[in-house]
Amino acid sequence: MSKTLVTGASGFIAQQLILDLLEQGHEVRGTVRSAAKRDALKQALAAHSDRARDLELVEADLERDEGWAEAVDGVDAIHHLASPFPLAVPKNPDDLIRPARDGALRVLRAAKAAGVSRVVLTSSGAAIAYGVRGAMPERFTEADWTDTTHAADCRPYIASKTIAERAAWDFVADEGQGIELTAINPVAVFGPIRSAEVKTSVDIIARMLDGRLPMLPNAGIQVVDVRDVSAAHIAAMNDPAAIGERYIVADAFRTMRAVADVLHAAYPERTKIPRRGMPDFLVRALALVNGEVKAIASELHKQRILSSEKVQKLLGRDLIAADDAIRASAETLIEHGAV
Ligand code: NDP
């Protein structure tokens, strides 16, 4: 059993990973960017595992040097998850790119200085399947990279994930000898939330459940369960064959209508779940004034399919089905009183 560091401990995926690592007997240290989050996080995780008591939390911000040396001190492996993940498209792309890229480099430099070799980075399908010029390929694999120079198909968040992952591999090649890096590239992550504060990707399901999303744009996403993202992180950490590799973690593609249909079937009494489609012209018009709709507008009628063949071999099993992930998000959002 080892001591592992999880950066961005307050995040949706990090909470699942921390619980899984603790349950498997690892010692876990997490980073938070403000001490104010410590107690609430420990309390939220304690509701799921007695071992959450043993979680150590330290402070470190992606945009500052302080704290990272202490965070990596004495750990055997690092899972780097922290990265800004806003739902809206920001006015200045650098607000996302700078912390994502510089933060990844801060973690890697601290790892090298402390002699910690194993680093598993949560990158994203965003670093693989965007910036596409012309027709969408039938299937993306780990060999593909997003073209950040084609801004029409590459929002700032997508650029931030691509640039951060590239910077990490470049660091390892140029000056990070001894660092054993693996990238995990999930698509849209659903599945159970572990505390009511979780927002990010599951927020789209919350909005469908409570009526904040009244109509369904003609867009969709490939879905994966947070439990599989966590499992991929741990399997990669444990398998030397994963060093130097990228792993897409992705189950089926679901249109927003298909997501709503899963929710209708599970919660027929919830009448606010949308049924009507949102015309494309309305999505495009709203996108001019609303950063969140802008993110959806750039996906209208697009279908990106990423292959998860490689991660299934790593895990030795199929992934959790997309519709089960959607139902688990809805069930736990309701349980936590988040909708
Ligand atoms: P969350 O927003 O829940 O988690 C992001 C974490 O990063 C939070 O703990 C947040 O801290 C932390 N963070 C953000 N900015 C900073 C900063 N400047 N300094 C320190 N910490 C910071 O998102 P997810 O759990 O969904 O995402 C985790 C990782 O997975 C991210 O790298 C994301 O890009 C990636 N990913 C997520 C997908 C998804 O669909 N959810 C899909 C593919 C990849 P705080 O709580 O203080 O804001």
Side-chain angles (χ1 to χ4, degrees):
M1 292 306 126
S2 61
K3 182 157 187 166
T4 55
L5 176 71
V6 177
T7 70
S10 55
F12 167 43
I13 301 172
Q15 291 182 17
Q16 180 68 45
L17 177 60
I18 289 169
L19 287 169
D20 290 344
L21 286 164
L22 288 169
E23 283 303 311
Q24 291 177 28
H26 298 280
E27 281 181 64
V28 183
R29 180 184 294 152
T31 67
V32 285
R33 61 171 148 173
S34 84
K37 295 213 164 171
R38 274 189 213 183
D39 291 348
L41 177 60
K42 283 197 85 155
Q43 221 174 340
L45 296 182
H48 302 281
S49 165
D50 289 344
R51 293 224 48 222
R53 250 184 276 121
D54 305 329
L55 171 67
E56 184 192 346
L57 290 172
V58 296
E59 266 174 79
D61 191 306
L62 294 172
E63 300 204 74
R64 301 163 68 96
D65 289 332
E66 298 83 67
W68 290 109
E70 293 77 9
V72 302
D73 185 42
V75 303
D76 303 293
I78 298 171
H79 297 275
H80 177 47
L81 280 74
S83 202
F85 189 7
L87 290 174
V89 176
K91 288 214 169 71
N92 181 0
D94 262 344
D95 292 349
L96 303 184
I97 294 169
R98 208 185 42 247
R101 178 197 55 216
D102 298 355
L105 291 174
R106 281 193 172 91
V107 170
L108 288 166
R109 280 194 199 106
K112 189 183 172 195
V116 182
S117 53
R118 202 69 189 94
V119 181
V120 185
L121 165 78
T122 321
S123 181
S124 172
I128 288 182
Y130 292 78
V132 177
R133 295 171 200 266
M136 200 65 76
E138 206 171 291
R139 195 166 283 267
F140 293 89
T141 71
E142 286 82 357
D144 294 306
W145 276 93
T146 289
D147 177 359
T148 54
T149 64
H150 186 45
D153 193 45
C154 181
R155 301 188 298 276
Y157 169 73
I158 289 161
S160 80
K161 295 303 290 179
T162 310
I163 290 168
E165 191 194 331
R166 276 236 188 254
W169 288 116
D170 288 347
F171 174 86
V172 172
D174 298 340
E175 48 181 307
Q177 286 79 16
I179 297 280
E180 300 170 340
L181 182 67
T182 302
I184 302 295
N185 299 71
V187 291
V189 184
F190 291 157
I193 61 163
R194 302 304 179 183
S195 69
E197 285 71 40
V198 159
K199 290 276 179 292
T200 69
S201 39
V202 291
D203 202 50
I204 195 92
I205 294 178
R207 287 171 191 222
M208 285 191 189
L209 287 168
D210 65 17
R212 278 176 294 149
L213 186 77
M215 286 188 275
L216 299 163
N218 290 308
I221 34 175
Q222 212 173 348
V223 172
V224 68
D225 193 290
V226 66
R227 292 164 286 189
D228 280 341
V229 181
S230 167
H233 261 269
I234 296 173
M237 173 181 83
N238 291 333
D239 188 346
I243 296 165
E245 301 291 334
R246 311 170 87 194
Y247 291 92
I248 292 167
V249 202
D251 193 62
F253 180 89
R254 289 286 177 263
T255 60
M256 292 184 81
R257 177 165 298 284
V259 174
D261 286 346
V262 170
L263 299 177
H264 281 299
Y267 303 100
E269 73 288 0
R270 286 196 169 245
T271 53
K272 288 183 177 166
I273 301 168
R275 289 185 186 278
R276 277 184 306 152
M278 185 185 275
D280 295 348
F281 76 87
L282 188 53
V283 178
R284 293 196 176 103
L286 285 173
L288 298 174
V289 292
N290 182 314
E292 290 179 12
V293 182
K294 195 171 173 184
I296 295 173
S298 61
E299 288 305 295
L300 285 174
H301 301 286
K302 291 182 183 167
Q303 182 163 326
R304 302 174 206 268
I305 303 295
L306 285 71
S307 166
S308 58
E309 234 171 76
K310 187 170 163 183
V311 83
Q312 288 179 17
K313 283 191 194 128
L314 177 73
L315 295 175
R317 60 168 172 81
D318 289 342
L319 298 182
I320 297 168
D323 292 352
D324 289 339
I326 294 165
R327 278 189 285 269
S329 287
E331 199 181 306
T332 50
L333 280 162
I334 293 168
E335 257 170 42
H336 286 285
V339 289

